[in-house]
Amino acid sequence: MEMNPNEKFVMDFLKMLENRKSSNELEKFYHPDSEQTEFPNTLTKQLTVRNLQDLKLASEKGANILTKEAYEIMNLYSFENTVVLECIWKGTLAIALGNLKSGDQMTAYFAQIFELKDGKIFRQRNYDCFEPFS
């Protein structure tokens, strides 16, 4: 599949998430004035808006909960500076969560909208639907 530069950038971002060693790696992908909005879901009970520093803190917390995560791309669309992604996310747990024990996998269906500015993610909206785990 032929990808434009914005689509390739988002795919590189997902690969980084799957393999990241440090929350500082987020700086390569997020604009300094970025804003990520996560709509309510099973894990995040209310609308949450994060800046880059908040995203780095969330990444560090996530590193204590997950040993691995993977993204299976279902659809990828783009127009001008916007990329829309639908994927299946799987995270392997480092801790017990709900009915899942350490080593089990969580599954979620994500729709994510990325707006790019200056070659980085400027606005991101996540619509995350998790399979039941409790």
Side-chain angles (χ1 to χ4, degrees):
M1 173 170 95
E2 187 73 25
M3 284 191 252
N4 68 40
N6 289 341
E7 292 169 342
K8 184 173 177 348
F9 180 81
V10 168
M11 295 299 292
D12 289 345
F13 170 69
L14 296 179
K15 285 183 175 68
M16 179 277 298
L17 292 178
E18 290 178 336
N19 299 300
R20 74 178 168 251
K21 306 283 187 258
S22 163
S23 63
N24 290 330
E25 293 173 81
L26 296 174
E27 292 175 8
K28 177 181 176 187
F29 293 92
Y30 281 101
H31 190 279
D33 298 322
S34 62
E35 181 178 280
Q36 184 247 15
T37 303
E38 183 175 351
F39 289 88
N41 59 65
T42 303
L43 292 179
T44 305
K45 301 297 183 192
Q46 60 189 19
L47 180 80
T48 303
V49 179
R50 297 178 183 94
N51 61 25
L52 179 54
Q53 188 60 36
D54 297 332
L55 287 166
K56 290 171 75 173
L57 290 171
S59 176
E60 291 166 11
K61 287 180 186 176
N64 296 320
I65 297 169
L66 298 173
T67 60
K68 181 181 176 186
E69 62 184 304
Y71 294 81
E72 178 185 351
I73 307 308
M74 305 309 290
N75 290 296
L76 181 68
Y77 310 99
S78 64
F79 178 74
E80 295 178 355
N81 70 330
T82 301
V83 176
V84 177
L85 171 74
E86 290 179 285
C87 66
I88 300 172
W89 172 88
K90 293 186 186 270
T92 304
L93 291 168
I95 62 168
L97 184 63
N99 291 334
L100 301 176
K101 59 187 180 301
S102 176
D104 285 349
Q105 265 191 349
M106 296 178 68
T107 301
Y109 306 90
F110 288 179
Q112 297 175 305
I113 301 168
F114 300 91
E115 293 177 39
L116 304 178
K117 179 179 175 181
D118 302 328
K120 293 189 174 190
I121 300 166
F122 181 62
R123 297 288 181 257
Q124 177 182 346
R125 293 180 298 284
N126 284 34
Y127 302 86
D128 305 338
C129 302
F130 289 86
E131 288 186 353
F133 54 86
S134 58

